[in-house]
Amino acid sequence: MNILILGSGGREHSLAWAVMQNPKCDRLIVAPGNAGIAQIADCAALDIENGGAVVSFAEENAIDFVIVGPEAPLAAGVADRLREAGVLVFGPSAAAAQLEASKSFTKEICDDSGAPTAEYARFTEAAPAKAYIREQGAPIVVKADGLAAGKGVIVAMEEQDALDAIDDMFGGAFGGAGAEVVIEEFMEGEEASLFVLCDGENILSIGSAQDHKRVGEGDTGPNTGGMGAYSPAPVLSAEIEARAMDEIILPTVAEMKRRGAPFQGVLYAGLMIKEGQPRLVEYNVRFGDPECQVLMMRLGAQVMDLLHAAAEGRLDKARVNWADDHALTIVMAAEGYPGSYEKGSVIKGLDNLPEDSKNMVFHAGTKQSDGQVVSAGGRVLNVTARGDSLQDARDQAYAMVGGIDWPGGFFRSDIGWRAL
Ligand code: AMP
Ligand code: GLY
């Protein structure tokens, strides 16, 4: 098969790494890709949010299967355009991508399917929103309805912070994303993410992970796209995972089908777990980044068969070949991230690191310049290892970090601390 992956981050590098190990992959193109991806696949410049351009590219290159990495092309309907053109694609329609693009849509789906989630109310005006916050009291959670680059959620421990968030959102701080606001009950518990392939009807879990959203050690400082991850998440026991599948994921998929917007792709469910009960925090309609990197490290080449089965509606017959292993990834980011940072600093030492089925440095924001790898983004490298225990994976990943010579970068030295 000729395969096209859309995206340019560490997530897409890990997808490419897994897919190209599968003997069914004859040719792999990643658009636009990055310096690390260019070492294992062809990279092509392409406007991946332009459905027409993606369809033309797929036709010109005799692509048999497209895998969409990020959410923006999904929300823009790129998977719909490909399906209309008869190109097999892994990724939901724009209608089904509403599960990520609109928080109030997801709340409705939970109401109609009975999936457990936080109590909530929706508002389009500040005065009634503030009255509701005063009535409920803190802690309370205020969310901009639309996509806000991960910044649209305010977990307010004090009532005043929630009231200020209302002023910010209706004041336009999140543009159109804040025109509607969801106010939610604060859920206590431990968070974990569950990744489930869906073919519109059938579902298949491909594992759990835990992210590290804050930039600083001990989960302090501003939020980021994620500074590290590990899989599996110990808090998501087999029993709790089974409950999440039965009580949350399956009802969601059934409700989406009933509404005429069947979900095909990966559902990334953010769960809050308390006393054995999982409740939904949010959905994403794509793999997490860097969670994907640890899932790919554990699943390897079979991923391509699983994604293909999801796209063709054959998940009822698909099985995951599980190894009893653990993976951990450490994000190396440019000094200053998630604030402003410089690009173009030289990264050395990558050639001396092991690259095999247990150790990989996935590239996120990198490019080649004068024969050297230089930084080209905020999150730059995902140093990833697999082991028999989380401790093994962690030790190996930090050993690799020690071999990378990049004065312009930093990383958290406590990835995995909650689990260990
Ligand atoms: P989201 O952007 O929806 O992932 O939210 C960002 C983070 O806010 C989540 O990962 C949770 O840590 C937290 N959060 C969101 N909703 C709630 C809630 N209802 N109760 C407690 N924490 C929440
Ligand atoms: N790492 C969080 C995300 O991909 O949304």
Side-chain angles (χ1 to χ4, degrees):
M1 273 198 281
N2 294 335
I3 298 172
L4 171 64
I5 297 178
L6 302 182
S8 62
R11 168 178 49 207
E12 288 77 22
H13 190 184
S14 69
L15 281 165
W17 173 81
V19 163
M20 53 91 55
Q21 292 174 49
N22 191 303
K24 288 187 202 122
C25 174
D26 296 314
R27 180 169 186 217
L28 177 60
I29 307 178
V30 183
N34 63 36
I37 297 172
Q39 292 170 8
I40 59 167
D42 294 335
C43 292
L46 177 63
D47 176 1
I48 63 168
E49 291 175 36
N50 179 336
V54 175
V55 168
S56 302
F57 183 88
E59 286 172 346
E60 282 156 21
N61 290 280
I63 297 296
D64 302 299
F65 185 35
V66 180
I67 299 167
V68 184
E71 62 274 28
L74 296 168
V78 168
D80 302 80
R81 300 293 88 74
L82 285 162
R83 263 182 220 111
E84 284 157 17
V87 181
L88 190 67
V89 54
F90 176 82
S93 64
Q98 285 289 101
L99 283 173
E100 175 164 354
S102 166
K103 298 201 188 294
S104 54
F105 177 84
T106 298
K107 286 300 201 183
E108 273 177 26
I109 295 288
C110 288
D111 286 346
D112 292 350
S113 67
T117 184
E119 295 293 329
Y120 75 103
R122 296 159 64 170
F123 298 93
T124 51
E125 283 174 61
K130 288 185 177 176
Y132 181 80
I133 289 169
R134 290 198 181 95
E135 185 190 309
Q136 298 290 317
I140 194 159
V141 182
V142 180
K143 301 185 173 185
D145 180 64
L147 292 174
K151 299 187 180 78
V153 174
I154 309 296
V155 179
M157 300 317 283
E158 308 291 338
E159 193 173 296
Q160 192 56 46
D161 296 339
L163 297 171
D164 292 346
I166 293 295
D167 285 331
D168 287 347
M169 286 183 193
F170 288 119
F174 299 99
E180 179 165 350
V181 165
V182 174
I183 303 180
E184 267 186 20
E185 165 200 358
F186 172 78
M187 293 190 282
E188 280 177 34
E190 202 172 338
E191 281 190 85
S193 302
L194 180 62
F195 293 83
V196 184
L197 298 183
C198 311
D199 66 6
E201 186 159 353
N202 305 292
I203 63 176
L204 181 70
S205 165
I206 54 164
S208 62
Q210 244 152 337
D211 190 11
H212 298 65
K213 286 203 169 111
R214 305 295 193 93
V215 74
E217 312 275 315
D219 295 333
T220 54
N223 266 326
T224 69
M227 292 300 294
Y230 53 86
S231 172
V235 55
L236 218 68
S237 64
E239 196 185 344
I240 298 177
E241 180 177 321
R243 282 192 72 168
M245 294 290 274
D246 290 347
E247 296 173 18
I248 301 176
I249 313 291
L250 205 51
T252 297
V253 169
E255 176 61 19
M256 293 299 288
K257 187 179 174 213
R258 195 189 66 75
R259 289 181 175 221
F263 187 90
Q264 187 265 77
V266 60
L267 256 191
Y268 156 3
L271 302 173
M272 189 68 82
I273 296 142
K274 193 182 170 204
E275 289 158 9
Q277 167 73 60
R279 289 205 285 167
L280 182 73
V281 180
E282 61 156 359
Y283 280 128
N284 294 304
V285 299
R286 45 152 182 103
F287 282 108
D289 188 346
E291 294 92 323
C292 187
Q293 289 81 315
V294 285
L295 296 176
M296 294 307 120
M297 186 45 94
R298 294 184 64 209
L299 293 165
Q302 64 180 317
V303 159
M304 183 180 136
D305 298 317
L306 297 173
L307 303 190
H308 193 222
E312 289 196 327
R314 297 184 277 105
L315 271 185
D316 51 332
K317 296 184 195 77
R319 294 285 168 277
V320 179
N321 202 346
W322 284 114
D324 187 14
D325 58 2
H326 298 256
L328 182 140
T329 189
I330 301 155
V331 172
M332 296 184 80
E335 207 59 73
Y337 174 82
S340 60
Y341 52 82
E342 309 236 315
K343 294 181 183 174
S345 57
V346 177
I347 303 165
K348 292 191 185 140
L350 294 171
D351 292 340
N352 304 327
L353 297 177
E355 288 202 345
D356 52 38
S357 65
K358 289 195 159 175
N359 302 280
M360 261 307 287
V361 177
F362 297 117
H363 290 218
T366 64
K367 67 175 192 189
Q368 281 281 346
S369 177
D370 298 330
Q372 291 181 305
V373 175
V374 303
S375 68
R379 292 189 295 166
V380 174
L381 298 171
N382 310 137
V383 185
T384 312
R386 183 160 65 92
D388 293 335
S389 67
L390 185 59
Q391 187 69 50
D392 280 353
R394 183 181 199 261
D395 291 347
Q396 183 55 28
Y398 277 108
M400 285 198 286
V401 166
I404 297 173
D405 176 14
W406 180 31
F410 76 98
F411 57 90
R412 273 179 63 167
S413 62
D414 64 347
I415 300 305
W417 71 282
R418 271 183 205 280
L420 286 168

